[in-house]
């Protein structure tokens, strides 16, 4: 039962974070940030979000910028979901490099 609640909260956080990043990156031409996956701790106090950045060369720069502005992002998230959750979770961001990994595997397969 608890896992169902975790999954619902994770989906809600993923949707809202994606909208926040979409609004914030509109000003930055040529950059797209998407939230590929979110995980929530069992007590719903920590949210781990995986970000996919296009172009991937700017991934570290974007991740550093996001980490510097975590408090602002959490505040914005809180204003959006405050009626649906009791505690706004602490946010942790990581780069999701699964697409780069898939591209690398494809290159290796084509080379043989």
């Amino acid at each position: 039962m608890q896992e169902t609640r975790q999954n619902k909260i994770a989906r809600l956080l993923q949707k809202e974070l994606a909208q926040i990043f979409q609004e914030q990156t509109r000003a930055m031409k040529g950059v797209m940030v998407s939230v590929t996956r979110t995980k929530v701790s069992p007590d719903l106090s920590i949210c781990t979000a995986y970000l996919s950045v296009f172009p991937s060369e700017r991934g570290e720069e974007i991740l550093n910028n996001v980490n510097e502005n975590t408090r602002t992002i959490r505040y914005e998230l809180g204003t959006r979901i405050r009626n649906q959750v009791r505690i706004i979770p602490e946010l942790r961001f990581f780069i999701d490099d699964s697409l780069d990994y898939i591209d690398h595997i494809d290159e290796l397969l084509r080379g043989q």
Side-chain angles (χ1 to χ4, degrees):
M1 189 67 180
Q2 178 68 17
E3 193 170 300
T4 304
R5 176 89 172 134
Q6 276 179 266
N7 290 336
K8 284 182 181 180
I9 297 296
R11 283 193 305 268
L12 172 69
L13 294 173
Q14 180 177 2
K15 182 181 129 218
E16 295 298 334
L17 284 171
Q19 287 179 352
I20 291 170
F21 286 126
Q22 185 179 26
E23 291 169 4
Q24 297 299 323
T25 56
R26 273 200 188 117
M28 300 171 64
K29 298 294 181 197
V31 176
M32 187 173 78
V33 177
S34 58
V35 182
T36 57
R37 188 175 54 179
T38 55
K39 292 182 182 177
V40 180
S41 63
D43 63 352
L44 307 178
S45 66
I46 299 172
C47 173
T48 304
Y50 294 90
L51 306 177
S52 177
V53 179
F54 180 80
S56 59
E57 296 83 37
R58 296 194 57 190
E60 287 299 318
E61 171 193 345
I62 298 294
L63 183 63
N64 290 336
N65 192 358
V66 166
N67 284 329
E68 288 174 7
N69 295 307
T70 300
R71 292 179 68 187
T72 308
I73 295 168
R74 186 175 181 213
Y75 175 79
E76 176 70 24
L77 181 65
T79 59
R80 292 170 180 245
I81 66 169
R82 68 174 173 248
N83 296 329
Q84 297 160 352
V85 294
R86 194 176 311 142
I87 299 170
I88 307 303
E90 175 186 327
L91 300 173
R92 297 181 182 164
F93 296 101
F94 297 98
I95 292 290
D96 182 11
D97 57 355
S98 59
L99 291 177
D100 294 335
Y101 181 73
I102 291 169
D103 287 342
H104 179 67
I105 296 295
D106 283 344
E107 287 176 15
L108 291 175
L109 291 175
R110 283 190 205 118
Q112 292 183 355

